Amino acid sequence: EPEVTQTPSHQVTQMGQEVILRCVPISNHLYFYWYRQILGQKVEFLVSFYNNEISEKSEIFDDQFSVERPDGSNFTLKIRSTKLEDSAMYFCAILRGWTQYFGPGTRLLVL
Amino acid sequence: KNEVEQSPQNLTAQEGEFITINCSYSVGISALHWLQQHPGGGIVSLFMLSSGKKKHGRLIATINIQEKHSSLHITASHPRDSAVYICAAPETSGSRLTFGEGTQLTVNP
């Protein structure tokens, strides 16, 4: 059974629209991560979230991005006004012990 | 900032061959991750190791912390092993991962 699932699996949106990507762990975790992978490139860190607060963010994670844990279990990544270059695979991960376990990803396409 | 380098970038093998993928990193760490990414894009954690060697089925991972180097070996490779193999190193224990470029492995029958 996977540690974490993500919804939606695919999303197509128009440039300028807001999208919300969801990460659903199977049990309570305190440490979450969001990563993204632009097609043909390596996976990049976006943000880590510990105990309901951002603990670290990369230079990619600018004001158009936000994360929250709206109901104490699900973990969301919001992109306020999508750009073409936001097209990528977005992965969330949870930390159990010292190992990060990845969700299956959301493939986002911005047109 | 940790720099993570993998080699080779692409590897084609015949079924049954022994495979080695290498990973080196620039900053001392306590552990390193090996991940597998299938064509659909999903990422699966294979190993997290901090010293010595770990084995899972036909997969073996080794790490030399002093030399900042790790290897992933696949014995008796099979076409279903075809995937991208990625090593990733944390900046500090439990923190953000820095990923290598990945090694595209193709195993032909």
Side-chain angles (χ1 to χ4, degrees):
Chain A
E1 188 178 358
E3 296 275 347
V4 59
T5 59
Q6 290 183 242
T7 60
S9 58
H10 296 79
Q11 178 143 7
V12 181
T13 190
Q14 295 291 323
M15 192 169 60
Q17 295 294 305
E18 176 182 282
V19 295
I20 296 176
L21 311 182
R22 289 184 174 79
C23 177
V24 184
I26 62 165
S27 56
N28 264 333
H29 294 280
L30 292 177
Y31 232 129
F32 293 85
Y33 304 81
W34 280 103
Y35 296 91
R36 79 169 184 193
Q37 185 179 33
I38 294 170
L39 186 65
Q41 298 186 21
K42 61 183 177 181
V43 179
E44 305 171 286
F45 169 77
L46 288 176
V47 65
S48 60
F49 192 79
Y50 174 70
N51 206 21
N52 298 324
E53 286 184 0
I54 290 176
S55 61
E56 192 177 5
K57 58 183 180 180
S58 72
E59 56 278 4
I60 303 167
F61 194 86
D62 61 22
D63 290 344
Q64 68 160 340
F65 291 95
S66 62
V67 289
E68 60 179 23
R69 201 169 181 190
D71 58 8
S73 60
N74 294 350
F75 178 50
T76 63
L77 174 70
K78 184 191 291 186
I79 309 175
R80 253 179 283 282
S81 177
T82 50
K83 301 189 276 250
L84 296 177
E85 54 265 36
D86 294 328
S87 296
M89 193 80 160
Y90 289 81
F91 296 99
C92 79
I94 58 93
L95 186 68
R96 184 161 65 82
W98 295 115
T99 301
Q100 292 187 30
Y101 293 89
F102 289 80
T106 293
R107 191 177 298 278
L108 176 66
L109 178 62
V110 182
L111 301 176
Chain B
K1 187 181 182 322
N2 213 345
E3 302 290 336
V4 179
E5 304 265 346
Q6 278 185 245
S7 63
Q9 281 189 302
N10 292 282
L11 183 55
T12 300
Q14 287 301 120
E15 185 174 353
E17 284 184 8
F18 182 81
I19 304 289
T20 295
I21 299 170
N22 295 301
C23 176
S24 60
Y25 47 93
S26 58
V27 176
I29 58 170
S30 57
L32 183 115
H33 295 251
W34 279 102
L35 309 159
Q36 182 188 56
Q37 186 171 34
H38 279 281
I43 292 177
V44 174
S45 291
L46 297 175
F47 296 103
M48 195 276 293
L49 69 163
S50 55
S51 65
K53 180 164 77 172
K54 280 192 177 179
K55 186 175 190 292
H56 186 253
R58 294 179 294 105
L59 299 178
I60 303 166
T62 62
I63 190 168
N64 186 319
I65 293 288
Q66 286 74 31
E67 293 186 6
K68 301 186 180 64
H69 181 269
S70 177
S71 294
L72 177 69
H73 306 285
I74 305 175
T75 61
S77 59
H78 190 276
R80 64 174 174 266
D81 296 327
S82 298
V84 176
Y85 292 84
I86 304 170
C87 70
E91 298 291 331
T92 58
S93 293
S95 79
R96 59 190 286 180
L97 293 177
T98 298
F99 291 74
E101 297 276 354
T103 295
Q104 172 70 63
L105 172 66
T106 303
V107 181
N108 294 317

